[in-house]
Structures are given as structure tokens and as C-alpha cells.
Amino acid sequence: MSEASSLQDFFDGKIAAEEKIEPKDWMPEAYRKNLIRQMSQHAHSEVIGMQPEGNWLSRAPTLERKSVLLAKIQDEAGHGLYLYSATETLGASREELIDALHEGRAKYASIFNYPSLTWADIGAIGWLVDGAAIVNQISLQRTSYGPYARAMVRICKEESFHQRQGYQIMVALCAGDDAQKAMAQDALDRWWWPSLMMFGPHDGESAHSAQSMVWKIKRAGNDELRQKFVDQTVPQADIIGLRIPDADLKWNETRGHYDFGAIDWEEFSRVISGNGPCNRQRLATHRQAHDNGAWVRAAVQAYTARQGEQADE
């Protein structure tokens, strides 16, 4: 048996035995590249996702709401840090990852290209967007790559607070006057379908899902996760008196799940291809923030170099 075959057999055995692949383990190059694509996309999504929420920091209705939102945005920055750090264990530098984002070679979640128009949107983002993220990320706690799985444990705990914070905003609005409840319904109307698109194309149409499932990078298909999100979210909307904007939505007694209408995949393609409402704005803002932070990175490098020189003296 050749060395390459032996290494492949060892890798396949660990995957089959539900053992984690660690950074120093041998892995197929395609596995490494697939992980870098998925993990960096996840990291970019956490960081870009700070923007629609940051849009409301100065306009939050109370000081308490502002402090909670600020803490949430700080959490999202931390999630990006965990994921960038985990991706670096695969030999991809932070600079390479960010350059790929700025040059359009890397993607982030399509939903963050939609605007946050009212305070109710902050509630909808927490309830729907973070709720959809949790459904996906819970399964990623069992992903086959160790650093990714361990990062997801803490991220999921924090995202659960974000989801509850968003739902609480919607509860408060629905308990208010007619205008406040209408604001909550409007936000749900605009964020519902993009939230379903977050899970990606149908399983048979996804370019990466099938192989990711074989390698156990992904542990559940896009359609399964999307169905789970619908099933858990519809009753939550019913409790507070909001209407899901889907005329085809109904409970299917035979399946034990909700049936729901067709997703506009043409819209998804437009947004993911860079033609959503806020694509250019999101990237321009990130580039500007990155450029403004150049002096911090230079100072850190200078300090690190000086520390190294002192250690050698």
C-alpha cells in the first residue's frame, strides 16, 4: 500500500468513526479547501452582519436596548474572530481571507445584504436570522473538523441569547399600539423569505453540500434545516399574533411538518451574485473599516517585532 493510500485510509477511518480531524492530521486537499470556503464564509457573515444592527445603535429606543444591542454586536465580532482563527489552522492567513472577501472571491450570507429600515428589523434579525443560524450551527457542533466544532459550541450559546433578545423585541412591539404591531408585521414580511434563503439552495442543486455531507463537514441537508426552522418559528409567530407572509403555509398532518410556499431563487441568485439592495454598501463599509484599522495592525506588528528583539538581546 502506498503512503498516500495509507493516509487516505486513516483519514476515512477517522471520519467513519466520528473522530475529529485536527490541524496536524493529514487531510485531502479538497477537504481543506472546502473547509476554508465554508469557515471563511461563516466568519465573513458574522462580521458583515454587524452592519445592519450597527445602523440602529444610535437610534435604539432606550439606553437598555442600546446596551443590549451593543453587547450583541460585540458578540458577533467575537464569533468572526473565533472562526477566522479556526480557519487559520488550515494554513489560510487572515489577510488572504479578507482579501478574498474584498475582491469578491469569497461570499457571506445573502441575508446581510438587506437593509434594516426600522427598529422592528432589529427584532426580526435576532428572532429570524439568528434563529435560522442556530438551527444550522447546532448541527455544526458535530462537524468533522475539530477547531470548527469547538468554535461552534460557544457561538451557539451566544446566538441563543441573540435569538431570545430579538423575539423579546417583537413581543414588546406586538403588545404595544397598532402602529407598533404593524411595524413588527412589516419587519416579518420583509425578513421571512430571506431567512429561508439563508439555508442555501435545495440539496440536489447545491454545489458543495453533497461532498460536505460525505466528509461530515455538514451534518444535515439544507432542506432538512430549513424545514426545522419553519416548524419552530411558525408557532412563535402565532403566539404573538403575527402572520407569516406565505399564503401556501399550512400544517401537514401526514408529514408532521408545515408545508410552505416556493422560494424565489432568482432573488437569491441576484443577491448572492452581488446585486442585492446593500451588497456594494456592505463591502465598501468593510473595506473602509479595514483601511482605517491599518495603523492598529502596523502597531501590533511593530510591538511584536520589538518584543522579539528584546528576547534575543
Side-chain angles (χ1 to χ4, degrees), residues 57-71 119:
L57 266 178
S58 63
R59 296 177 288 163
T62 67
L63 182 59
E64 180 184 10
R65 293 291 192 193
K66 180 179 292 188
S67 64
V68 171
L69 181 58
L70 185 61
W119 173 249

Side-chain angles (χ1 to χ4, degrees), residues 50-168:
M50 297 161 63
Q51 293 187 38
E53 294 176 316
N55 181 44
W56 279 89
L57 266 178
S58 63
R59 296 177 288 163
T62 67
L63 182 59
E64 180 184 10
R65 293 291 192 193
K66 180 179 292 188
S67 64
V68 171
L69 181 58
L70 185 61
K72 180 187 178 185
I73 293 171
Q74 179 177 280
D75 284 348
E76 306 296 5
H79 298 173
L81 175 63
Y82 308 151
L83 292 164
Y84 282 132
S85 297
T87 309
E88 286 179 313
T89 66
L90 293 161
S93 72
R94 192 83 52 96
E95 291 75 15
E96 291 172 333
L97 300 176
I98 293 176
D99 284 347
L101 173 65
H102 289 171
E103 294 168 7
R105 293 182 286 108
K107 303 293 186 182
Y108 55 89
S110 60
I111 198 162
F112 296 121
N113 291 308
Y114 291 87
S116 51
L117 303 178
T118 71
W119 173 249
D121 287 32
I122 302 303
I125 290 171
W127 174 34
L128 301 176
V129 178
D130 292 322
I134 291 168
V135 169
N136 183 48
Q137 292 169 4
I138 285 174
S139 69
L140 289 175
Q141 291 178 112
R142 298 185 295 111
T143 192
S144 60
Y145 188 57
Y148 194 18
R150 290 187 286 273
M152 293 316 306
V153 172
R154 177 165 180 173
I155 289 174
C156 283
K157 289 178 180 178
E158 293 177 348
E159 291 288 9
S160 68
F161 283 103
H162 300 170
Q163 192 271 346
R164 279 180 274 176
Q165 176 248 356
Y167 188 61
Q168 198 276 333

Side-chain angles (χ1 to χ4, degrees), residues 261-272:
I263 295 170
D264 184 353
W265 292 113
E266 290 186 4
E267 177 183 341
F268 175 78
S269 296
R270 287 195 304 272
V271 175
I272 208 70

Side-chain angles (χ1 to χ4, degrees), residues 10-11 13-27 31 35 138-153 215-217 219:
F10 178 75
F11 172 84
K14 292 195 75 171
I15 295 292
E18 298 285 346
E19 297 177 10
K20 300 300 181 193
I21 305 299
E22 299 296 344
K24 293 184 179 180
D25 292 339
W26 181 89
M27 63 188 74
Y31 176 85
L35 276 171
I138 285 174
S139 69
L140 289 175
Q141 291 178 112
R142 298 185 295 111
T143 192
S144 60
Y145 188 57
Y148 194 18
R150 290 187 286 273
M152 293 316 306
V153 172
W215 281 326
K216 299 182 181 177
I217 295 173
R219 304 307 301 252

